[in-house]
Amino acid sequence: MDPILWFGWFRADIIAEYAMMFWHGLQITILVTLICITQGTALGLAIGLARLADARHSPARQICRYLLRWPSTVYVSFFRGTPLFVQILLIHFAVLPLFINPADGLIISGETARSLKQNYGALLSGILALTLNSGAYISEIFRAGIQSIDRGQIEASRSLGLSFWRTMYHVVLPQAFRRMLPPLGNNAIALLKDSSLISAIGLAELAYTARTVAGAYSRYWEPYLTISFMYWILTLGLAWAVKRLEARYGRGDTR
Amino acid sequence: MDEVIRVEGLTKNFGDLRVLRGIDCTVSASEVVCVIGPSGSGKSTFLRCLNGLEEASGGRVLVHGTSVHDNHTDIDTLRSEIGMVFQRFNLFPHKTVLENITLAPTKVRGVSPAEAKQRAHDLLVKVGLLDKIDAYPNQLSGGQQQRVAIARALAMQPAIMLFDEPTSALDPEMVGEVLNVMQTLAEEGMTMVVVTHEMGFARRVAHRVLFMDEGMLVEEGSPEAVFDTPREERTRRFLANVL
């Protein structure tokens, strides 16, 4: 392909040549982000509730303390207190081979394990690491959101005869969710950007694509500027979606 | 008369603070009992022990013969029999008036949505707020919110209604509309326990008045007896301050 120069220096032909690769990278990035947002939110809700678990009577009181509050606190502390990059490496090179291994995998072994690792290893570890990491952050958002709801709301609901879980589902979480949307949106944006770290273990997402293209042509402006704009547009899209959700769930808001 | 609530030796401590120091009393069906007393006397805590919002430190509370604070009691079923109205209304801000009223009947009692809506409709007529059926709580005045809160509690068709200072958070001009609804309810034979600072209401509507001070039931009797010829010095002092 003949060099196409934009503004006298930008080699647009490189981007055109690798368009399909960027497109696939974009799809992987979006896929990983969406899966991790969904799973991270579910995990964050579970961990957030575990951190708030309490009961009035033993043995439930002790169970809440030692089997729910303590482990969840340690979990959050670990995943917030260590670098995501290290977590990705740890999970990909140490944890995953323990479970999926051709020789002696704890869950899957043999030929299935070999092909799984080869084809989807980086994807699996990347999604796992990012989910576990964002779950820790999101659990703190849930915890703060739930705690911010006036006790009177819970008392009114319980005094009507609604159980604890129904109170959570119908009264507390819908109100907490509204307040949690801005921090959840921030988290989703951070997650999208952090997904670029998975390129380190060889997942062919956007950042990996840019590195490949840069290596092939020894040109750096073109690929990295291109994916920068792609990430930027994606984060703008996420921010817009969060704003829409806020408007939708803002019914009955005092402000 | 049928005994609906029986309280025996009820005590409640918050840490070292002894909020309730042994309360004994009963409430009969269709009786309206007003609890008065200075702030910090334990009135609200006493009321909140009746439906198990507060744990008891000692003694027990029986509602229809069922122990409220027993671990084996199905507290949700018991609470669905006991309506409660709060000082701060506590309407669910993310739900409309209609949704506030129909939530518990449909989810707890399994009432069909159509019937729950009909019930909400009737109750809103009763409290005079039918035109607000689709409003959100923040679009209502305090008095309107409290009347919706009463309708919400009544939608469960409870046997007992508890009121925790229902007019204390209201602007003066809205107190009357809430008290009127409560008076109608009393005249219809609802069993009511009302913690209140509205002495006029207590005198007019209550069958029995309980005066509490420092976690103890100091005096009880008919409104005339308590307000006009109080036996205890503490009651006299309190009434002299508020009347």
Side-chain angles (χ1 to χ4, degrees):
Chain A
M1 202 183 286
D2 295 325
I4 305 167
L5 284 178
W6 285 358
F7 313 112
W9 59 271
F10 191 92
R11 285 273 306 272
D13 61 301
I14 298 179
I15 306 305
E17 183 183 344
Y18 285 94
M20 277 321 282
M21 203 172 162
F22 278 108
W23 171 238
H24 287 303
L26 179 68
Q27 286 176 312
I28 295 285
T29 291
I30 292 174
L31 179 77
V32 167
T33 304
L34 289 182
I35 290 177
C36 290
I37 286 176
T38 320
Q39 294 185 346
T41 305
L43 182 68
L45 173 61
I47 301 286
L49 287 174
R51 292 201 70 184
L52 292 170
D54 202 358
R56 281 168 169 173
H57 307 282
S58 48
R61 195 179 175 80
Q62 280 73 26
I63 291 174
C64 285
R65 184 163 182 189
Y66 297 112
L67 294 181
L68 291 172
R69 283 212 305 274
W70 282 22
S72 56
T73 306
V74 171
Y75 171 90
V76 171
S77 173
F78 177 81
F79 278 95
R80 295 208 308 172
T82 55
L84 173 59
F85 189 60
V86 174
Q87 290 163 17
I88 291 171
L89 298 178
L90 187 69
I91 284 172
H92 186 61
F93 294 113
V95 177
L96 207 70
L98 194 65
F99 294 101
I100 302 175
N101 195 319
D104 52 357
L106 287 174
I107 297 177
I108 304 170
S109 59
E111 202 42 48
T112 330
R114 192 184 309 280
S115 70
L116 195 66
K117 248 183 99 174
Q118 208 147 46
N119 298 327
Y120 299 105
L123 184 68
L124 280 178
S125 333
I127 287 175
L128 186 63
L130 217 51
T131 298
L132 292 176
N133 181 273
S134 62
Y137 282 93
I138 292 174
S139 77
E140 285 295 277
I141 299 176
F142 268 101
R143 188 168 71 102
I146 290 169
Q147 281 180 327
S148 78
I149 301 303
D150 181 18
R151 273 212 65 80
Q153 290 289 309
I154 299 168
E155 289 178 351
S157 174
R158 295 305 305 272
S159 74
L160 285 165
L162 281 105
S163 65
F164 171 82
W165 290 108
R166 281 193 171 131
T167 297
M168 272 290 153
Y169 184 77
H170 293 290
V171 176
V172 178
L173 286 178
Q175 293 183 60
F177 186 64
R178 167 70 186 81
R179 294 182 194 179
M180 284 161 36
L181 268 172
L184 277 180
N186 282 341
N187 200 275
I189 287 169
L191 208 157
L192 169 67
K193 295 185 293 184
D194 287 346
S195 70
S196 62
L197 289 174
I198 308 177
S199 65
I201 55 172
L203 181 70
E205 41 69 78
L206 273 180
Y208 184 90
T209 306
R211 207 170 65 201
T212 309
V213 174
Y217 276 86
S218 292
R219 299 276 304 189
Y220 299 97
W221 275 103
E222 287 82 1
Y224 286 117
L225 204 57
T226 302
I227 66 161
S228 293
F229 274 108
M230 291 168 91
Y231 278 118
W232 193 10
I233 288 166
L234 288 178
T235 54
L236 283 175
L238 267 179
W240 176 81
V242 170
K243 217 170 178 171
R244 282 286 302 269
L245 280 174
E246 275 183 59
R248 190 167 144 199
Y249 288 97
R251 300 176 311 171
D253 234 19
T254 36
R255 281 170 294 278
Chain B
M1 274 197 284
D2 291 343
E3 182 181 288
V4 183
I5 303 174
R6 168 174 282 273
V7 181
E8 294 172 346
L10 179 66
T11 62
K12 173 71 186 177
N13 306 329
F14 288 118
D16 291 336
L17 190 67
R18 295 173 66 202
V19 183
L20 298 178
R21 308 177 179 219
I23 307 275
D24 295 279
C25 74
T26 59
V27 177
S28 307
S30 295
E31 195 179 18
V32 178
V33 175
C34 282
V35 186
I36 61 170
S39 46
S41 59
K43 308 182 295 287
S44 287
T45 306
F46 165 69
L47 194 74
R48 290 158 59 83
C49 282
L50 298 184
N51 70 348
L53 279 186
E54 296 288 354
E55 286 284 285
S57 301
R60 58 179 193 160
V61 176
L62 301 176
V63 173
H64 291 308
T66 308
S67 176
V68 173
H69 298 103
D70 191 323
N71 267 346
H72 304 292
T73 298
D74 180 355
I75 191 70
D76 295 329
T77 305
L78 192 66
R79 279 175 178 153
S80 66
E81 301 286 329
I82 311 172
M84 187 160 189
V85 175
F86 299 85
Q87 182 177 354
R88 306 268 328 145
F89 330 132
N90 296 344
L91 292 180
F92 307 132
H94 60 303
K95 293 184 179 295
T96 63
V97 166
L98 177 67
E99 291 164 346
N100 263 278
I101 297 173
T102 55
L103 176 67
T106 52
K107 301 302 172 194
V108 179
R109 285 277 165 78
V111 173
S112 74
E115 199 199 324
K117 190 172 178 183
Q118 182 58 45
R119 221 187 262 183
H121 192 278
D122 297 344
L123 286 167
L124 284 173
V125 170
K126 182 173 179 156
V127 300
L129 287 172
L130 187 57
D131 56 323
K132 302 291 185 190
I133 191 162
D134 292 318
Y136 282 95
N138 67 342
Q139 298 168 315
L140 306 178
S141 71
Q144 291 171 332
Q145 288 192 48
Q146 193 62 299
R147 284 186 279 157
V148 171
I150 293 172
R152 177 175 71 176
L154 290 175
M156 289 298 281
Q157 301 179 329
I160 306 164
M161 284 287 282
L162 307 178
F163 293 85
D164 187 5
E165 302 194 22
T167 57
S168 298
L170 296 178
D171 290 336
E173 75 268 24
M174 294 171 184
V175 169
E177 63 191 61
V178 171
L179 292 182
N180 284 340
V181 170
M182 289 169 63
Q183 182 162 359
T184 310
L185 207 55
E187 284 160 2
E188 289 170 1
M190 175 63 78
T191 310
M192 293 164 61
V193 181
V194 185
V195 171
T196 187
H197 292 293
E198 295 293 329
M199 298 305 152
F201 175 81
R203 184 188 277 271
R204 202 167 63 242
V205 180
H207 300 119
R208 196 147 50 95
V209 173
L210 311 183
F211 173 68
M212 278 182 70
D213 193 16
E214 295 179 340
M216 284 178 290
L217 228 170
V218 176
E219 182 162 359
E220 67 174 299
S222 69
E224 294 77 25
V226 172
F227 287 119
D228 300 334
T229 54
R231 292 189 309 273
E232 300 289 331
E233 172 58 28
R234 274 193 283 181
T235 316
R236 275 196 286 273
R237 227 181 313 139
F238 172 73
L239 290 173
N241 282 332
V242 297
L243 290 179

